[in-house]
């Protein structure tokens, strides 16, 4: 019997990951449990020790703990170290090793879509762990330029200094229309109810050179990013596809079994 978990705030109970992994474990014949756990920011150290004490085989980390778990890792993958965010942990005895499968899952999504970001311009909204993973991949795939707009200037500058890209602001984008070929949302804002102010901002943007819009959130009603994509007549990808690709990479790390992303999506249909 193996046991896994996803650690976050109350949003851990709303993620599709437990349903995805539970169904796929059953399909591939692995006896395992996968449970959501709510952990407060000041309890991260105790939570990481609990993975050892309670003999968890692995864990996923979600908002808002992707960066705060790093000091408690014994080993970090190269990607997780550069990105500065962990979403997958493997326990080996008393050692915890942190990985970032969000980044490779994002890359796999672009490949599945047939969208080559090489020499393309990108615009990213957000400055959290998701943004860090996206910037890492876009930089690695040699995007021509990567602009990042986030609420907290310090966090944006940290991404720019450590991973790459260029900081911008909503005011700058409003004054000088973006020439981005791909627009990616990594913020929690995907509907008018999330932020009427940001919704108005997005409605006013032309994105005349945009070829693809991707929202890392999923399951949102009245998705403002999907609406913008329809307005521009360009493809739209919501967060389920990147989640399924990241889940595939996580499953490989945990079990060495390669499961197609479509199997994770079938689990929640």
């Amino acid at each position: 019997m193996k046991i896994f978990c996803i650690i976050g705030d109350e949003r851990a109970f709303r993620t599709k990951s437990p349903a995805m992994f539970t169904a796929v474990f059953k399909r591939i014949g692995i006896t395992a449990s996968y449970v959501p756990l709510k952990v407060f920011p000041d309890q991260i150290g105790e939570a990481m020790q609990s993975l050892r004490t309670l003999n968890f085989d692995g864990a996923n980390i979600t908002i808002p703990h992707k960066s705060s778990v790093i000091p408690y890792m014994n080993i970090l993958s190269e990607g997780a170290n550069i990105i500065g965010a962990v979403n997958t942990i493997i326990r080996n005895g008393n050692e915890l090793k942190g990985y970032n499968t969000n980044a490779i899952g994002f890359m796999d999504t672009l490949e599945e879509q047939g969208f080559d970001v090489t020499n393309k311009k990108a615009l990213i909204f957000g400055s959290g762990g998701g943004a860090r993973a996206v910037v890492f991949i876009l930089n690695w795939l040699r995007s021509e330029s990567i602009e990042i707009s986030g609420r907290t200037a310090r966090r944006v500058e940290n991404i720019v200094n450590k991973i790459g890209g260029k900081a911008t602001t909503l005011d700058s984008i409003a004054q000088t229309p973006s020439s981005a070929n791909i627009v990616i949302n990594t913020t929690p804002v995907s509907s008018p109810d999330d932020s009427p102010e940001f919704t108005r901002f997005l409605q006013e943007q032309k994105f005349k050179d945009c070829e693809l819009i991707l929202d890392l959130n999923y399951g949102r009603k009245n998705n403002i990013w999907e609406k913008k994509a329809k307005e521009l007549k360009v493809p739209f990808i919501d967060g389920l596809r990147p989640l399924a690709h990241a889940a595939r990479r996580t499953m490989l790390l945990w079990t060495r079994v390669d499961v197609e992303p479509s199997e994770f999506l079938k689990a929640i249909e």
Side-chain angles (χ1 to χ4, degrees):
M1 177 72 170
K2 293 182 178 293
I3 183 165
F4 302 90
C5 64
I6 182 166
I7 293 174
D9 56 16
E10 65 278 355
R11 285 168 284 193
F13 298 104
R14 299 199 295 268
T15 179
K16 299 290 187 182
S17 293
M20 280 183 163
F21 279 100
T22 297
V24 173
F25 280 135
K26 183 176 180 180
R27 192 190 75 74
I28 64 178
I30 292 178
T31 303
S33 293
Y34 184 109
V35 295
L37 299 174
K38 177 181 177 180
V39 174
F40 293 101
D42 61 353
Q43 298 173 326
I44 286 297
E46 291 93 328
M48 294 302 99
Q49 183 55 43
S50 294
L51 294 179
R52 301 180 179 96
T53 304
L54 299 176
N55 293 306
F56 278 85
D57 292 277
N60 282 138
I61 307 298
T62 189
I63 297 171
H65 303 316
K66 291 182 181 182
S67 294
S68 57
V69 300
I70 288 179
Y72 304 99
M73 297 296 101
N74 299 101
I75 308 170
L76 277 180
S77 70
E78 183 179 359
N81 185 47
I82 295 171
I83 295 166
V86 163
N87 80 303
T88 297
I89 295 172
I90 294 177
R91 182 188 64 84
N92 183 12
N94 282 324
E95 282 194 342
L96 300 179
K97 183 169 183 178
Y99 296 83
N100 192 304
T101 66
N102 289 141
I104 198 74
F106 174 71
M107 185 181 74
D108 290 340
T109 301
L110 293 177
E111 183 178 344
E112 180 185 60
Q113 182 67 26
F115 190 85
D116 185 357
V117 298
T118 304
N119 298 323
K120 296 288 180 78
K121 298 178 181 179
L123 174 62
I124 299 167
F125 292 96
S127 57
R132 300 176 77 90
V134 166
V135 173
F136 173 78
I137 288 299
L138 292 175
N139 199 41
W140 190 46
L141 295 177
R142 301 183 184 279
S143 290
E144 179 182 329
S145 65
I146 307 167
E147 289 194 310
I148 311 160
S149 174
R151 287 187 304 173
T152 308
R154 176 184 55 80
R155 293 176 68 180
V156 173
E157 287 299 332
N158 182 270
I159 295 175
V160 171
N161 293 334
K162 187 170 182 181
I163 308 173
K166 177 184 176 183
T168 189
T169 64
L170 297 185
D171 287 341
S172 295
I173 296 168
Q175 292 170 12
T176 306
S178 172
S179 59
N181 306 116
I182 178 172
V183 176
I184 303 142
N185 175 48
T186 73
T187 77
V189 179
S190 290
S191 72
D193 290 341
D194 295 328
S195 174
E197 182 181 11
F198 187 84
T199 298
R200 287 192 295 271
F201 162 82
L202 185 61
Q203 288 171 341
E204 294 168 359
Q205 303 315 302
K206 303 301 182 184
F207 295 146
K208 58 184 178 62
D209 297 314
C210 183
E211 301 169 28
L212 176 66
I213 293 180
L214 196 152
D215 178 17
L216 291 189
N217 299 317
Y218 56 83
R220 301 295 185 85
K221 295 181 179 178
N222 302 317
N223 191 301
I224 58 178
W225 302 98
E226 184 175 15
K227 184 176 180 180
K228 177 58 67 173
K230 288 180 179 177
E231 175 190 318
L232 299 175
K233 297 182 173 59
V234 302
F236 169 75
I237 299 174
D238 85 346
L240 277 180
R241 281 169 63 187
L243 178 65
H245 280 286
R248 174 198 178 195
R249 296 290 181 167
T250 293
M251 183 69 82
L252 264 171
L253 290 171
W254 283 344
T255 68
R256 299 183 182 177
V257 178
D258 192 3
V259 180
E260 286 298 314
S262 59
E263 293 296 324
F264 290 95
L265 293 176
K266 285 179 187 175
I268 56 172
E269 287 179 349

